[in-house]
Amino acid sequence: MKVFRISPKSLVKLDDITLCLGYFDALHLGHISLINKSKNLGRKVGVLTMDPNPSSFFNSNVKEINSLEDKIEILETLGVDYFIILETNKDVLNMSPESFVKEIIIPLGVKNVVSGFDYHFGKNKSGDTNFLSYYDEFDTYVCDEVDDENEKVSTTLIKRLLNEGNITRINKLLTRPYQIKGKVIKGNSIGHTIGFPTANIELDSNKIYPKNGVYAGYLICEGKKYLSMINLGIHPTIKKLDKEIVEAHVINESIDLYDKEVTLVFIDYIREERKFDNLEDLVNQLKCDKKIIKSYDKF
């Protein structure tokens, strides 16, 4: 997959592509159906997104599910040919729908555009799929709503499920396990003293994560996968932290992970994080958690 960063003054000309329109944060079932529809049209497929998130110009507290690097990796696995990243600035946000089509979409060499039924673009989101259909330079295809359990599959839904810790449903809607990536950093080493050493990863303040608690999952490092007990939280029993961290205890393995890049794969939610009366109670609970997580080794 080729990645292009563009602006209205610096475009790229591609030949006869099908262009998927949207922001594509969660890259969930709805986005995947849109990409699959595009692939079925018989041309090379491009995905157009904007960076930074347009919503961040109006709300400084906007958090995302996937970083740009995450999106690149996921889109490549989905068979996308081109990932086109439009630089977001005030000029772009103030473009009329007509200007957006004539100055951005058409110059890309688009023959088909594919979007969700609720796609809007241009200043004040005044452009929609009906607006796109008036142009003769390309054909417009619209994907219907994708539902799950009588709910529209959307980034908003994924964020709600993250807040609920509903990892099993999230994985279903993403069609892949939810993951966190990062470099292992030094922790307080208390885990070693109680028999549960952990690999600690600092969280990105710009991203949204699952609710605090204990999860069954895997740690992947240098191509090897290890069954792990993953915890998101602030260590309320040992030493309350100022901000959340994610840490993983690799089950039945002793490996040096410090300063290495790892991926944490979430399989299921086990329990909420809570404060125990003493370390003995915490250790006993961790032993119970570990026993439960061992049953997930079939995944």
Side-chain angles (χ1 to χ4, degrees):
M1 183 178 74
K2 294 183 179 180
V3 180
F4 300 98
R5 285 187 172 271
I6 66 169
S7 70
K9 296 181 180 179
S10 178
L11 296 172
V12 61
K13 179 69 167 64
L14 303 170
D15 292 326
D16 299 344
I17 67 167
T18 294
L19 187 67
C20 302
L21 300 173
Y23 185 62
F24 302 97
D25 184 8
L27 284 167
H28 50 61
L29 269 174
H31 296 135
I32 292 170
S33 69
L34 190 153
I35 290 170
N36 287 339
K37 186 180 186 72
S38 300
K39 290 163 69 176
N40 289 336
L41 295 175
R43 300 180 186 276
K44 288 193 173 183
V45 174
V47 168
L48 176 67
T49 193
M50 299 176 70
D51 182 66
N53 188 335
S55 297
S56 66
F57 284 75
F58 310 100
N59 179 2
S60 59
N61 294 319
V62 170
K63 293 183 181 294
E64 300 191 310
I65 297 169
N66 289 309
S67 67
L68 207 56
E69 291 72 21
D70 295 332
K71 293 180 187 179
I72 290 171
E73 184 173 315
I74 296 166
L75 288 171
E76 192 153 26
T77 66
L78 294 174
V80 170
D81 299 291
Y82 306 113
F83 186 33
I84 305 159
I85 306 161
L86 174 61
E87 177 189 353
T88 313
N89 55 43
K90 290 183 178 179
D91 290 338
V92 170
L93 293 175
N94 285 322
M95 292 179 88
S96 67
E98 182 179 15
S99 295
F100 190 85
V101 171
K102 290 185 175 181
E103 297 178 30
I104 303 295
I105 294 178
I106 292 176
L108 288 173
V110 173
K111 291 300 179 183
N112 305 310
V113 297
V114 182
S115 71
F117 70 99
D118 55 354
Y119 175 68
H120 288 81
F121 65 100
K123 186 175 182 179
N124 299 323
K125 296 183 178 181
S126 53
D128 58 14
T129 56
N130 286 330
F131 184 89
L132 290 171
S133 67
Y134 287 116
Y135 285 86
D136 295 327
E137 288 87 347
F138 51 79
D139 293 322
T140 300
Y141 298 84
V142 180
C143 289
D144 296 330
E145 179 174 304
V146 176
D147 292 331
D148 178 75
E149 298 181 14
N150 296 317
E151 291 185 279
K152 172 190 169 186
V153 178
S154 65
T155 297
T156 299
L157 173 59
I158 301 294
K159 287 183 176 181
R160 193 197 83 202
L161 295 174
L162 285 170
N163 286 327
E164 296 171 358
N166 194 339
I167 288 296
T168 53
R169 191 175 175 204
I170 289 170
N171 290 350
K172 171 188 172 186
L173 300 184
L174 297 181
T175 72
R176 62 187 183 275
Y178 174 82
Q179 301 180 357
I180 292 175
K181 297 183 178 183
K183 181 179 287 188
V184 176
I185 60 173
K186 283 191 178 296
N188 53 29
S189 299
I190 294 178
H192 285 272
T193 67
I194 61 174
F196 287 88
T198 60
N200 300 268
I201 299 174
E202 190 171 10
L203 297 178
D204 183 346
S205 61
N206 295 316
K207 295 178 69 173
I208 183 172
Y209 294 98
K211 70 179 290 187
N212 289 356
V214 177
Y215 295 82
Y218 289 92
L219 181 148
I220 299 175
C221 181
E222 297 176 342
K224 294 183 178 180
K225 184 169 76 170
Y226 305 92
L227 182 67
S228 298
M229 176 164 56
I230 302 171
N231 183 76
L232 269 156
I234 56 172
H235 289 176
T237 303
I238 300 173
K239 181 182 179 182
K240 189 174 181 180
L241 304 175
D242 295 331
K243 59 182 181 179
E244 287 87 358
I245 63 166
V246 61
E247 53 190 339
H249 168 68
V250 175
I251 293 177
N252 296 339
E253 295 276 358
S254 180
I255 51 177
D256 181 14
L257 295 168
Y258 176 65
D259 214 30
K260 292 182 179 179
E261 295 289 339
V262 300
T263 299
L264 302 183
V265 179
F266 287 65
I267 301 301
D268 204 358
Y269 176 73
I270 304 301
R271 65 170 175 86
E272 66 182 10
E273 182 183 51
R274 64 187 181 89
K275 188 179 187 302
F276 293 88
D277 292 334
N278 51 63
L279 279 180
E280 183 180 0
D281 288 348
L282 170 61
V283 171
N284 288 334
Q285 181 61 61
L286 291 175
K287 289 178 179 178
C288 291
D289 299 335
K290 183 176 180 177
K291 185 176 181 180
I292 293 170
I293 291 169
K294 281 184 176 181
S295 68
Y296 286 85
D297 203 19
K298 61 182 180 293
F299 284 84

